[in-house]
Amino acid sequence: MCGIVAYIGHRDATPILTEGLKRLEYRGYDSAGLAVIRDGKLHIRRSVGRISALEEKIGGSLSGATIGMAHTRWATHGSVTETNAHPHCDASGRLALVHNGIIENYRVLRQFLEQHGITMTSQTDTEVLAKLVGHFYDGDLIDAVRRALREVRGTFGIAVLHMDQPDRIVAARRGSPLIIGVGQGEYLVASDASAIIQHTPQVIYLSDNEVAEVGRDGFRTTNLQAVPVTKEVEEVEFTLEQLELGGHQHFMIKEIFEQPEALRTCMRGRVDLQDGRVVLGGLTNVLRELVRSERIILTGCGTAWHACLVGEYLFEELARVPCEVEYASEFRYRNPLIPDRTTVIAISQSGETADTLAALREAKDRGALVLGIVNAVGSTIARETDAGVYLHVGPEIGVASTKAFVGQVTVLAMMAAMLARRRHMGQGASYDFLEALSRVPDAIEQALDLNAQTRQIAARFIETNNWLYLGRGPQYPVALEGALKIKEISYIHAEGLPAAEMKHGPIALISEGMPVVVLAVRDHLYEKVVSNIEEVRTRGGHVIAIATEGDQHISKLAEDVLYIPAVPPLLQPLVSVIPLQLMAYHAAVLRGCDVDKPRNLAKSVTVE
Ligand code: G6P
């Protein structure tokens, strides 16, 4: 969603800011803007559409400024117009502010300001905040920001500049991530480390309700009551190279092909084959409580929720712990029952998803042990959980999640195996499972050979606007994930279903030649899935089967077969999802869609 990058130092700020915005593009946005202070004046440029449009507008007009801030907006309050784009100014026009998040009580604040004769020019909640800070400003910028934020309900990550204060940026957060990059004689503020990593790997993660005043020679942080807060400098763990395309056409395909290596890194030092054990350092302090859990609740949104569904099979079958899966957005408002010895595991690639964060807070309030499975190191969810496991699959830039999904399932598999071993499983069975898990990256490598074949299949159906995806058991979440992938990036309508449910309604949709992707791997449900394939074929559907290598029988039933290597059924989702990712990718490319920046979507959804 929205992105922020700000700079103060001795270099030309504008290219640093626009370059930073480009690194944030993947989060999704619809307009962009920038403000710099030069020669004692505030200069603002805003534009609808891509950052290149903003760059064109700026041209060379702002060169020489050494302090500034920039923003990408993903519209929530007010349509996509230049007037609604950030930065927004206070009534004097001397103060500018960029904002991520939502000011929930903006109407009340707006009324308050209007009573003081201040009028708004945009439809945004952000402008209200800019004007409120301006209203409180009497020469002390950080104090004005603190006073304004004490009145605010809602979420914010903000950066503020004032023409009369050309040597400082004030930044603050609540609910929307914000970091300070520490360089040599220069500082950056950003909503995401990828915007600043090329300048410095040293960062400070602001916590909720903290305000920072950042100058050229240092910074100070306080809470909203002006009490000083000491912050630690941490190192960002990814490199600039990981943020580049490296010869690929899109981040999504790059990330699909990175999956074998990403999983090897995810498991490195954690799967101990010799001992038939899993060691997850992040869980050491809570291990006894976790092992004694009588119920596990897995929660997340989107693709992470699909990983939760696979996790349910892993925890119940392997660890024999009752497990439930909840959409984070539903859980948080459902008045959930959390008996003693419940562990809630929040899964999130970004670690910033608003609903997942709210769900974990709800679970915490109700006394559960709350764990996180997160990719983004230092993210809010990672910091608010009692303990957790990082994916270590590297930054995921493509909006459609791929390597994070397999990372999440792999971590769930490791956690389930760890619990199983400590609760009931013998060394031999544990060894067998872990040995199979450690061979999954090779199986994925083999499945990636389906790249050309998936492209051919996608090419035949680029005009078709309805697809079905069917699966049973642990393959059902894969059907959901396959359908979500194709929806997200190629705007094809697709439904994922438990195969047997098809005949309770969706079967009415099947018409001549409609593509129906069936996950028909050799497991104990294989015969049942074959019956579902027959039902589809009888009605003229075109079956694309994902089948186990060596299965000759299936080729007589399905029009297309994508063969994948066999791994144990509980781990098969890690491999069967690969051809579905590839097919969705090719469908999107062939339909001319913007694969890495699909319309209306955001990588990190920081609003409800
Ligand atoms: C957005 C993204 C999805 C993602 C979901 C959850 O909707 O477009 O790809 O699965 O958020 O994100 P998270 O960062 O919590 O995994």
Side-chain angles (χ1 to χ4, degrees):
M1 290 196 150
C2 303
I4 292 177
V5 56
Y7 173 83
I8 180 163
H10 300 283
R11 291 190 284 157
D12 193 5
T14 309
I16 295 172
L17 297 175
T18 50
E19 181 58 32
L21 285 188
K22 285 184 192 159
R23 301 259 178 219
L24 297 176
E25 275 193 303
Y26 76 97
R27 298 169 62 95
Y29 71 105
D30 40 50
S31 50
L34 171 147
V36 298
I37 302 175
R38 193 186 57 188
D39 306 329
K41 284 206 169 62
L42 188 64
H43 303 265
I44 294 182
R45 302 284 187 278
R46 298 183 295 183
S47 159
V48 167
R50 293 277 174 239
I51 289 152
S52 49
L54 178 69
E55 281 180 312
E56 251 171 59
K57 205 164 201 177
I58 296 169
S61 66
L62 301 178
S63 55
T66 55
I67 175 171
M69 63 186 187
H71 186 263
T72 44
R73 174 174 187 252
W74 190 85
T76 56
H77 293 59
S79 49
V80 182
T81 60
E82 198 174 305
T83 322
N84 286 337
H86 304 201
H88 287 283
C89 286
D90 74 337
S92 73
R94 304 172 79 80
L95 175 150
L97 178 146
V98 291
H99 165 228
N100 291 354
I102 290 181
I103 308 299
E104 286 168 8
N105 59 338
Y106 80 100
R107 282 198 185 85
V108 180
L109 298 174
R110 185 178 182 136
Q111 255 173 15
F112 165 82
L113 291 164
E114 281 166 357
Q115 279 158 10
H116 286 80
I118 299 170
T119 50
M120 304 293 151
T121 53
S122 78
Q123 303 156 299
T124 63
D125 51 337
T126 301
E127 190 190 357
V128 174
L129 183 56
K131 296 220 158 36
L132 191 65
V133 177
H135 174 75
F136 289 128
Y137 180 75
D138 59 6
D140 185 342
L141 189 57
I142 189 167
D143 188 55
V145 169
R146 282 190 298 243
R147 283 178 73 185
L149 293 180
R150 288 201 294 263
E151 305 301 323
V152 162
R153 266 201 300 111
T155 56
F156 51 80
I158 58 167
V160 191
L161 291 182
H162 198 293
M163 204 193 279
D164 302 342
Q165 313 265 339
D167 299 317
R168 73 196 60 191
I169 301 167
V170 173
R173 75 156 269 177
R174 179 195 296 157
S176 285
L178 213 60
I179 57 171
I180 301 173
V182 181
Q184 302 212 319
E186 60 181 17
Y187 288 83
L188 296 107
V189 175
S191 53
D192 182 327
S194 50
I196 60 174
I197 186 75
Q198 74 184 110
H199 306 292
T200 175
Q202 309 279 325
V203 299
I204 282 139
Y205 294 95
L206 282 188
S207 298
D208 276 353
N209 298 310
E210 287 179 356
V211 189
E213 187 182 62
V214 186
R216 286 188 177 79
D217 48 5
F219 66 92
R220 63 185 177 109
T221 40
T222 75
N223 65 15
L224 290 185
Q225 280 65 43
V227 178
V229 183
T230 313
K231 305 297 292 181
E232 258 176 53
V233 179
E234 296 178 44
E235 186 116 350
V236 175
E237 68 159 22
F238 58 86
T239 61
L240 185 60
E241 205 180 31
Q242 286 176 294
L243 297 176
E244 315 251 288
L245 277 167
H248 290 274
Q249 204 188 339
H250 298 102
F251 281 107
M252 183 178 176
I253 193 73
K254 172 180 180 246
E255 287 159 7
I256 289 175
F257 274 86
E258 273 171 6
Q259 290 177 113
E261 207 37 48
L263 290 199
R264 287 185 191 112
T265 313
C266 172
M267 287 189 273
R268 194 161 295 136
R270 292 169 161 181
V271 174
D272 176 357
L273 276 184
Q274 284 205 324
D275 225 9
R277 272 184 190 278
V278 172
V279 183
L280 296 168
L283 299 181
T284 315
N285 293 339
V286 297
L287 205 49
R288 275 169 60 84
E289 204 180 337
L290 175 60
V291 171
R292 286 161 46 194
S293 292
E294 286 174 4
R295 199 159 77 120
I296 291 179
I297 298 174
L298 299 172
T299 192
C301 305
T303 290
W305 183 76
H306 297 156
C308 293
L309 291 176
V310 181
E312 186 176 12
Y313 287 95
L314 286 159
F315 280 119
E316 295 211 332
E317 288 198 23
L318 216 58
R320 308 302 294 156
V321 196
C323 182
E324 283 165 42
V325 175
E326 293 262 11
Y327 280 115
S329 54
E330 292 294 318
F331 180 83
R332 62 182 293 193
Y333 291 117
R334 209 175 45 75
N335 194 12
L337 287 173
I338 313 264
D340 271 1
R341 296 200 180 183
T342 298
T343 296
V344 173
I345 307 180
I347 304 188
S348 172
Q349 188 287 127
S350 62
E352 302 293 348
T353 302
D355 282 322
T356 311
L357 189 57
L360 85 82
R361 285 176 179 158
E362 184 69 35
K364 230 177 168 181
D365 283 352
R366 289 173 189 237
L369 170 67
V370 179
L371 308 181
I373 297 179
V374 168
N375 195 32
V377 175
S379 56
T380 312
I381 293 177
R383 284 180 299 130
E384 289 206 11
T385 41
D386 295 314
V389 184
Y390 281 122
L391 302 185
H392 291 314
V393 296
E396 189 179 68
I397 308 291
V399 168
S401 184
T402 53
K403 65 175 177 175
F405 174 77
V406 295
Q408 287 156 352
V409 173
T410 302
V411 169
L412 286 163
M414 288 192 286
M415 281 176 86
M418 185 182 77
L419 281 188
R421 181 77 179 93
R422 285 171 186 263
R423 286 167 72 100
H424 66 87
M425 197 183 253
Q427 194 172 347
S430 174
Y431 172 86
D432 289 347
F433 181 79
L434 293 177
E435 204 266 334
L437 180 61
S438 61
R439 278 190 288 109
V440 163
D442 301 338
I444 293 180
E445 226 147 56
Q446 222 179 306
L448 288 169
D449 290 341
L450 294 168
N451 192 28
Q453 199 190 343
T454 52
R455 191 172 200 280
Q456 282 162 11
I457 296 173
R460 271 188 275 131
F461 291 101
I462 49 165
E463 302 297 335
T464 313
N465 282 321
N466 280 300
W467 292 48
L468 273 188
Y469 286 72
L470 306 178
R472 281 172 177 261
Q475 295 300 323
Y476 160 53
V478 180
L480 291 176
E481 177 60 7
L484 180 67
K485 285 292 85 92
I486 205 157
K487 269 187 273 207
E488 283 181 310
I489 54 171
S490 41
Y491 320 137
I492 289 171
H493 173 251
E495 263 193 71
L497 294 168
E501 273 301 302
M502 179 187 61
K503 56 183 163 301
H504 299 295
I507 199 164
L509 295 171
I510 297 176
S511 55
E512 196 60 38
M514 177 183 185
V516 181
V517 179
V518 187
L519 290 137
V521 293
R522 282 273 187 193
D523 58 16
H524 68 294
L525 295 165
Y526 176 74
E527 296 301 336
K528 308 276 174 205
V529 174
V530 165
S531 307
N532 301 130
I533 291 181
E534 301 281 11
E535 289 160 9
V536 172
R537 293 208 1 142
T538 313
R539 286 154 186 91
H542 178 110
V543 175
I544 302 160
I546 313 300
T548 310
E549 221 171 28
D551 181 356
Q552 295 306 320
H553 177 60
I554 201 97
S555 60
K556 299 188 190 84
L557 298 172
E559 277 80 4
D560 288 293
V561 184
L562 292 156
Y563 285 111
I564 56 169
V567 297
L570 283 173
L571 298 176
Q572 197 72 67
L574 289 166
V575 187
S576 59
V577 76
I578 305 298
L580 306 193
Q581 296 171 341
L582 289 167
M583 209 143 58
Y585 171 74
H586 291 303
V589 172
L590 292 163
R591 283 164 74 99
C593 300
D594 193 347
V595 175
D596 288 330
K597 296 183 227 45
R599 71 182 181 205
N600 304 339
L601 292 184
K603 182 73 183 156
S604 176
V605 180
T606 46
V607 296
E608 305 189 24

